[in-house]
C-alpha cells in the first residue's frame, strides 16, 4: 500500500484538502493518505520545505509526498515531480523540494501531459486539477517518466545562512522554527553543543548549560536542550519560549562558551 | 471500497468527530473516511450546503456524504437519507442537501428504524447515535429503503438571490464564500465575464480587467480572476482580499463594462 | 483491521502527528488510524484523560489508544502500555489512563525494551520514537508482555471532586468540560435531574426546568439539558453558554429543587 502525504497552506475549513483526497481516492483507491500539515503559513514555501525535510525520514521508501504551497499557481511556473532513491515529490517548481534536489540521484520531471490531469484545469487550484491526479497515477505505479519530461534546472531555494563557530569561540545561529508549544528550534547542530558548556542570553535572561528534557527545569523557566531533530532548542517547561522571550523565526542566537 | 465523507461544525478539539469515526469503523471496517470540513461555522447550514455542493463532483459515484450541521438535533426535525444517481447523503432534514434535492432522480428517506442506530440515542448528538451508524450500514450495502421510509417533502433552503445582468449593462452579484486565504468568491459565473472587459469598484479601489492567475498582479494588489469552481473571484496576490477590501460573505458586488 | 486512535496536545501545524503516522504506517501498514484530538491544551493531562474516557466506548474491542500528553518526556517518567479487557493504551505514565486503570482487569507494562523503538530516541519526542512504534507492534499482534515488564503502581490522577446531593435538597457540581460550541458540561449525572424539577442560577440568570433539546428554547436563551454522555449540560440555543454566562471549566454549579 503506497503512502501519499499531503502538505499545503490550504487550512482545513474550505474543503480544498478533502476535494484533493476525493480526486486521489477515486483514481488510486489503494493509496493511503497521511496529512503532514495544512497549516503552513500562506505562501511560506521555505517553512513547508523545512517541515517536509524533517518528516521524510520517518516514512517508508517509495512514499509520495504531495505538497502544494503554490503562490505561482496558473503562471508559468512548472508543475513537477522529483524522484529520489527514497521518495517521490509532486508539486510546484518553486523550491519546495530543494532538500530532495540536493540529494544524490534526484531527478526532476516537468508535468506536461494533460491526459493525466483532470479534464478541466483551473488557473487557481492545481492541487486538485494536476497534482492530486498525478500523485494517484504515481501510487498506481505509473513511472514519472511517463507523466512528464526531464526538467534539467528545477528551482532551488537560496541556501539559508549557516550557523557559525566564531574565532572568539562563540556560536551564532538563528531560530528556524517555532512550534505549536512555542518551542524555538535553531539551526545549531546538537554536536556543537553536546558538551553542555554553553550559555545563551535571550530575551533579557541568561540560560546556562544544557538540559536533557523539559522536565529538568522548574516550570516557567527558559532552558536549552536538543530538539527531536538534533538541533539546539530553546524552551520553557510547561510554557512557551516564543512568548516568554518574545522571539520568533529568523531571530539571531548567540552562544557563549562557559569557562 | 466505499468512501464516506464527513462535514460538520464540530471542530476537531472535542473528539466528537473521532467518536463518529469509531462508530463507523466498528460497523463498516472497509469504508474509507475522508474529512471535508469540521470548521463549518456553528449552525451555518447554508455554508455547509455550498461546500458540499462544490466538493461532490470530485468524489466517485456512490460516495456517501455524511453531514451534521444540526441546530435542530433532538427536536422534531427528521434524520434523513437523500439518494441521487451519483451519491448518497445522510444528515438532518434542514436544507443541507438542497443542491442534491434539486437534481433529477433525488429521493429522500426519513430515518425511522431505530434498530439501525446506536442502542441509546441522545438528544444532542445524532451524528454519533443515528447518522454514523446509518452511514456505516449504507457503506455495507444496506439500501436506503431498508433504513427509512419515503419522505415526500424534505426541507429545502430558500434559493439565494441570483446574480443579475442589468439593463444598463452592469453585472451585480454577491460574495458567497471567503476562503482561508481571504479570497472572495462571488456568484457571478465565469461565462459572464470571460471577455475580461469589466471593472469593479471595491473597498475604495478599482480593479480593471481579469487576471489569469494570482501571479499576474504585483504582490498586495487587488485583482479579479476566475475561481477554481468557475465564478468571479476577488483576490490579492500573496495577501487577503477579505482584509484588504474589508468585505465578507454576503457583500454586494457590481461590475461595470469597459467601453 | 486494528484501529489505533491518536490523542495529543501537538496541534496539526508542525507535522508531528503526520510523522507519528508515518512511523506507524511503515511498521503496521494494515492498522487504521483515527484522530481523536490533537487540540488538547498543552500539558492538559486531565482534559485528555476525560476525552479518552468519553470516546472509548464507541470503538471496537481491541482498539489501541495512543495518547501523548507528556510534559515529563525524557525525564524518569515511564513509557507504558495499559491493557484492559476492552482496549489497549500506549503513552506516558502520568495519569492519562486513570479511567482505564480503575477498570477491573487492567494491567500495566513499563516499556523497557528499546529493540521495539526507533533506533535513536530523542529526549523530547517519545510519541515518534517510542509510542508510535510500540503501537504499531501492538497492532501487529505483539503482546504487551513482550514489549514491556509489569509495572505494579502506575500513576493515577487524584479523583476529581464529586458532585453532591446536599442535605437541604440542593445539588452541587462543577463544569468539567466546555466544548467547541461553548456548551458547558457538568459532572451532575442525568439520573439526578431526570425529573426536570430543578432550577439553576448562572451568570446572573435563572434557568428553570430541563429542556429536551437545544431547539426547545428560543435562540440566545440559556437552557439546561442532558449531554450526549449523560450529564447535566448548560447551553444556549444557536450560541455559546460559555461566553453568555462567562463560565469555564472548573466553575461551581448549584441546582435548586423546584417545589
Amino acid at each position: 500500500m503506497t503512502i501519499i502525504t499531503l502538505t499545503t497552506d490550504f487550512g482545513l475549513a474550505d474543503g480544498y484538502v478533502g476535494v484533493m483526497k476525493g480526486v486521489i481516492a477515486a483514481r488510486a483507491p489503494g493509496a493511503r493518505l497521511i496529512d503532514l500539515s495544512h497549516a503552513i503559513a500562506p505562501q511560506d514555501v521555505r517553512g513547508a520545505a523545512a517541515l517536509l525535510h524533517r518528516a521524510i525520514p520517518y516514512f517508508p521508501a517509495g512514499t509520495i509526498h504531495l505538497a502544494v504551497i503554490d503562490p505561482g499557481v496558473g503562471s508559468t511556473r512548472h508543475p513537477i515531480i522529483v524522484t529520489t532513491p527514497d521518495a517521490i515529490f509532486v508539486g510546484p517548481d518553486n523550491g519546495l523540494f530543494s532538500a530532495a534536489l540536493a540529494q544524490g540521484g534526484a531527478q526532476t520531471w516537468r508535468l506536461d501531459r494533460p491526459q493525466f490531469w483532470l479534464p478541466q484545469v483551473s488557473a487557481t487550484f492545481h492541487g486538485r486539477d494536476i497534482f492530486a491526479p498525478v500523485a494517484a497515477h504515481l501510487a498506481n505505479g505509473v513511472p514519472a517518466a511517463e507523466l512528464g519530461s526531464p526538467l534539467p534546472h528545477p528551482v532551488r531555494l537560496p541556501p539559508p545562512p549557516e550557523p557559525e563557530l566564531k574565532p572568539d569561540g562563540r556560536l551564532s545561529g538563528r531560530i528556524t522554527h517555532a512550534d505549536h508549544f512555542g518551542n524555538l528550534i535553531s539551526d545549531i547542530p546538537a554536536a556543537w553543543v553536546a558538551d553542555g558548556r554553553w550559555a545563551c542570553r535571550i530575551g533579557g535572561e541568561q540560560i546556562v548549560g544544557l538540559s536533557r528534557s523539559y522536565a529538568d527545569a522548574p516550570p516557567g523557566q527558559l532552558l536549552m536542550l536538543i530538539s527531536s531533530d538534533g538541533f539546539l532548542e530553546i524552551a520553557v517547561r510547561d510554557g512557551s519560549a516564543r512568548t516568554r522571550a518574545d522571539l520568533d523565526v529568523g531571530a539571531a542566537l548567540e552562544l557563549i562558551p562557559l569557562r
Side-chain angles (χ1 to χ4, degrees), chain A residues 41-227:
Chain A
Q43 290 97 37
D44 182 10
V45 173
R46 188 176 286 276
L51 186 149
L52 268 174
H53 182 56
R54 291 193 299 270
I56 288 160
Y58 298 95
F59 285 85
T63 294
I64 297 162
H65 299 285
L66 171 53
V68 194
I69 291 84
D70 195 8
V73 60
S75 71
T76 56
R77 75 94 188 85
H78 297 304
I80 59 170
I81 293 172
V82 176
T83 58
T84 71
D86 298 329
I88 307 181
F89 301 82
V90 188
D93 181 30
N94 62 12
L96 255 181
F97 309 131
S98 297
L101 290 169
Q103 264 189 262
Q107 280 187 285
T108 305
W109 314 84
R110 180 165 59 89
L111 298 171
D112 54 2
R113 318 220 170 133
Q115 67 268 33
F116 294 106
W117 309 348
L118 294 200
Q120 281 219 309
V121 173
S122 70
T124 57
F125 193 2
H126 288 187
R128 177 191 69 190
D129 304 336
I130 300 179
F131 301 125
V134 163
H137 291 305
L138 287 167
N140 288 337
V142 180
E146 206 170 303
L147 298 163
S149 308
L151 180 70
H153 299 294
V155 172
R156 292 159 195 250
L157 295 175
E162 298 268 337
E164 267 182 280
L165 179 48
K166 297 192 166 174
D168 64 359
R170 298 183 177 209
L171 300 180
S172 79
R174 285 178 329 129
I175 304 299
T176 55
H177 178 57
D179 75 9
H180 170 73
F181 295 98
N183 299 322
L184 300 168
I185 296 108
S186 78
D187 56 359
I188 297 176
W192 291 16
V193 294
D195 67 358
R197 302 190 50 75
W198 297 90
C200 178
R201 186 164 292 280
I202 191 173
E205 292 178 76
Q206 176 140 314
I207 314 173
V208 176
L210 205 62
S211 298
R212 186 177 138 69
S213 73
Y214 302 121
D216 272 6
Q221 187 172 306
L222 281 166
L223 57 99
M224 296 192 290
L225 80 180
I226 300 304
S227 82

